[in-house]
Amino acid sequence: MESRYLMTTYGRPGPALVRGQGAYAWDADGKEYLDFITGLGVLALGHCHPAVVEAVCRQAGEMIHCSNLFHIENQARLAQALAEGTGMARAFFCNSGAEANEAAIKLARKHAGAGRFRVISALNSFHGRTLATLAATGQTAHQAGFEPMPDGFDHVPFNDLAALEAAAGPQTCAVLLEPVQGEGGINPADPAYLAGVRQLCDRRGLVLIFDEVQCGLGRTGKLLAAEHFGVRPDIVTLAKALGGGFPIGAILATEQVAATFKPGDHASTFGGNPLACAAALVTLRVLQDGVVEHAARMGEYFRRGLAELAGRRRQVVQVRGLGLMLAAELDRPGQAVVDACRDRGLLINCTAQRVLRFLPPLIIGEAEVGRALSVLDEVLAE
Ligand code: PLP
């Protein structure tokens, strides 16, 4: 039915997953998988966390949607929780990471005023698949066939402050960066680089946008990855993990930048509806109730295991990442390893051709990490 009725945008060699619990998922034939993809970094609390299930079911019975024409209590509560948790001032809610980045670009352009519209982002970045976020994405492979890209996007090598400084011109309004590049191969920023970018933005009056769609919300062992670097962005974008599996995205901004948006400037029919915000409120509460710290500890544990494995298996050329956003770069394409792991009941993903990407649920335990490492070891030994 898929091959007959769906557009063929996804290559799907994998099984049909029909049930999930915690770090595990089961396919339609009852086969069990340890899930180190978690819906591409979405299921921070694992599959079907009981608190998320309870909150979604309860809210679904009260009110699913009402539109932003009306006050939405859950939305205000979620904005408050995000502001208090991150130190940012105000939120706008949408439905996905790409939409969050679109909103951030619009906010930065309006904030800068007429004539300043260019956004600088990094090579190897990934910011989404809508036309503007695709133009911001620093990978021409994703853009091929969809040209011309919207005007106003410049790309510079990641972690190269001089290149960024040279690219910033009179029309530049913002710098858009992932503190840890995800899809581009799990590349953390250098702390000195991000500090330098902040100073550059302050000197030139540029808005600094951090895309934390993948690296935010505890994934790196801090609520925002920015905390690792001691750098505060003017806008941060979130999605993926925010709703515990329910679609919701957000931008958070400082008071000064947020004040640019006036009624009618930006909107979303579904953005921040009561059901999405109920899912996000409970997800955030559980994350802040010790899960983020747990992720930091488990990230260290997993990383040590991967480093030991790299010492034994010469195909692994580098282990890198932050918290539970980890990668093992191979000296060869990684898809065969991904397929063999899946056959043995471990779901992992490969990005940038040779980079095995690990995004386990943040509630993962040592036993599961150990199991994943031994499957990986077996597969690499073969
Ligand atoms: N930004 C980053 C850093 C991402 O990793 C992604 C998705 O992988 C996006 C934006 C786009 O998010 P979405 O697929 O929800 O539009």
Side-chain angles (χ1 to χ4, degrees):
M1 283 165 67
E2 276 191 1
S3 58
R4 169 69 184 82
Y5 290 109
L6 287 178
M7 294 196 195
T8 51
T9 53
Y10 302 106
R12 283 175 169 150
L17 298 178
V18 294
R19 193 164 64 82
Q21 194 63 58
Y24 292 91
W26 289 268
D27 71 14
D29 300 321
K31 178 172 166 145
E32 182 180 278
Y33 299 89
L34 182 54
D35 188 355
F36 272 41
I37 299 180
T38 53
L40 287 168
V42 166
L43 302 159
L45 303 180
H47 289 271
C48 296
H49 189 285
V52 177
V53 172
E54 192 276 328
V56 167
C57 290
R58 185 166 33 80
Q59 185 61 47
E62 279 175 21
M63 173 166 278
I64 295 174
H65 180 80
C66 64
S67 98
N68 284 302
L69 295 173
F70 303 99
H71 295 290
I72 300 174
E73 185 178 342
N74 283 348
Q75 200 182 100
R77 284 190 193 285
L78 179 59
Q80 179 190 33
L82 285 166
E84 288 176 357
T86 63
M88 304 299 283
R90 289 177 186 270
F92 171 86
F93 294 106
C94 53
N95 311 290
S96 66
E99 274 182 75
N101 286 329
E102 287 271 348
I105 292 163
K106 284 180 71 178
L107 181 57
R109 281 187 172 186
K110 184 148 193 268
H111 182 72
R116 294 180 65 202
F117 62 97
R118 305 198 73 83
V119 175
I120 305 175
S121 56
L123 292 172
N124 279 325
S125 61
F126 187 84
H127 299 296
R129 301 281 196 157
T130 61
L131 278 170
T133 60
L134 195 56
T137 291
Q139 302 184 55
T140 47
H142 293 311
Q143 299 167 349
F146 303 106
E147 299 92 347
M149 287 291 112
D151 188 20
F153 296 91
D154 302 304
H155 300 103
V156 292
F158 193 48
N159 280 330
D160 182 341
L161 189 59
L164 185 62
E165 190 140 21
Q171 294 182 326
T172 305
C173 69
V175 175
L176 168 61
L177 294 171
E178 296 160 85
V180 184
Q181 290 187 331
E183 214 256 354
I186 311 290
N187 308 309
D190 293 338
Y193 172 68
L194 283 195
V197 174
R198 176 69 274 178
Q199 284 169 8
L200 173 70
C201 288
D202 290 342
R203 270 202 320 278
R204 302 276 190 97
L206 307 177
V207 171
L208 178 56
I209 308 168
F210 279 174
D211 177 345
E212 296 223 11
V213 166
Q214 188 167 149
C215 64
L217 297 167
R219 174 55 56 191
T220 66
K222 303 263 189 204
L223 192 62
L224 290 185
E227 294 170 39
H228 288 284
F229 303 91
V231 172
R232 198 107 94 78
D234 302 298
I235 304 176
V236 62
T237 62
L238 301 171
K240 288 195 185 279
L242 185 55
F246 200 88
I248 178 169
I251 65 170
L252 311 177
T254 60
E255 191 69 53
Q256 196 231 351
V257 171
T260 305
F261 269 167
K262 299 286 184 269
D265 276 347
H266 196 52
S268 164
T269 296
F270 288 118
N273 85 6
L275 186 54
C277 289
L281 262 172
V282 69
T283 300
L284 194 59
R285 180 170 58 69
V286 178
L287 279 174
Q288 289 181 299
D289 195 15
V291 173
V292 176
E293 292 77 7
H294 177 77
R297 285 193 298 276
M298 292 313 300
E300 278 309 305
Y301 183 78
F302 190 14
R303 194 194 178 92
R304 276 201 304 277
L306 284 172
E308 277 170 25
L309 185 138
R312 279 195 304 280
R313 304 290 167 219
R314 64 187 162 74
Q315 308 98 303
V316 181
V317 294
Q318 194 185 33
V319 170
R320 58 176 181 261
L322 260 184
L324 280 172
M325 187 171 179
L326 290 171
E329 181 168 347
L330 304 180
D331 63 358
R332 64 197 73 188
Q335 194 53 46
V337 176
V338 169
D339 293 342
C341 284
R342 191 179 57 244
D343 290 346
R344 287 172 165 77
L346 172 66
L347 301 178
I348 59 168
N349 158 261
C350 176
T351 189
Q353 283 91 48
R354 294 188 292 113
V355 181
L356 302 179
R357 174 168 53 167
F358 308 104
L359 299 171
L362 308 187
I363 46 105
I364 198 86
E366 289 186 3
E368 283 104 12
V369 169
R371 183 169 157 190
L373 284 166
S374 64
V375 171
L376 199 58
D377 199 28
E378 260 174 54
V379 167
L380 290 173
E382 268 180 23

